[in-house]
Amino acid sequence: MPELSIRHARPGDDGDLALLDRATWSTLHAVTPEPEPPYGPFFDERHTPEDHLVAVAGGRLHGYVRITHPTPLAANAHVLAIQGFVVAEQARGRGVGRALIRAAVTEARRRGARRLTLRVLGHNTPARKLYESEGFAVEGVLPEEFHVGGAYVDDVLMGRGV
């Protein structure tokens, strides 16, 4: 893989990010139905380019992480949350995910956050191992919170200081 760089998303990344999102959809991490045409835009009023860091190598997007406030409450403004994380299939196992998570921690710190949180499905072992290796700890489990792919799946809440 060519040299990897992480940058903030740009409005022009919308189409490539939408394609990446559809190509990587899986019950391993998605609780929403598989996207079907007509597809909407990737960015919207709740998910702006500024909320996304993208991994780029060889002029192609290989992944993204979405960082946003978990709630609009002032009492919760010191917390940011990862609310989307995708790595292209061909880029997995090459450090792209780790680079994005590290960049998310750095970005959360830059934005003045004290904590960074996320939610991950209990059966998503690769993602959970990555998060744990990057300092995230399990802070709660909602047993059988989702019914995905014909099975009940735990919702695992994780977090770390930044």
Side-chain angles (χ1 to χ4, degrees):
M1 175 181 288
E3 185 175 343
L4 182 72
S5 65
I6 307 292
R7 63 167 170 79
H8 283 91
R10 302 174 185 142
D13 294 328
D14 187 272
D16 289 338
L17 286 168
L19 287 172
L20 180 61
D21 226 29
R22 289 192 298 271
T24 57
W25 184 93
S26 165
T27 56
L28 190 61
H29 61 82
V31 296
T32 56
E34 187 169 5
E36 295 181 7
Y39 303 115
F42 183 82
F43 298 126
D44 58 30
E45 63 278 350
R46 287 186 48 233
H47 306 107
T48 66
E50 296 78 25
D51 296 328
H52 296 80
L53 297 173
V54 296
V56 181
R60 296 182 50 214
L61 294 179
H62 291 277
Y64 75 83
V65 62
R66 178 185 299 136
I67 311 162
T68 188
H69 288 281
T71 73
L73 302 171
N76 191 225
H78 64 286
V79 178
L80 286 172
I82 292 174
Q83 293 187 348
F85 175 56
V86 165
V87 175
E89 187 70 38
Q90 72 275 9
R92 292 181 185 167
R94 297 177 177 212
V96 174
R98 186 170 306 281
L100 282 166
I101 294 302
R102 288 179 178 175
V105 170
T106 299
E107 179 66 8
R109 189 177 303 122
R110 187 191 70 77
R111 292 186 194 181
R114 292 178 47 90
R115 289 182 33 76
L116 183 61
T117 63
L118 59 87
R119 297 169 78 161
V120 60
L121 295 178
H123 66 263
N124 192 344
T125 304
R128 290 181 64 182
K129 285 183 178 180
L130 172 62
Y131 300 143
E132 288 170 2
S133 75
E134 290 299 321
F136 287 84
V138 173
E139 298 179 339
V141 177
L142 302 175
E144 299 184 351
E145 184 73 2
F146 296 106
H147 189 259
V148 182
Y152 291 98
V153 180
D154 295 349
D155 187 12
V156 180
L157 313 174
M158 301 182 80
R160 62 163 284 170
V162 296

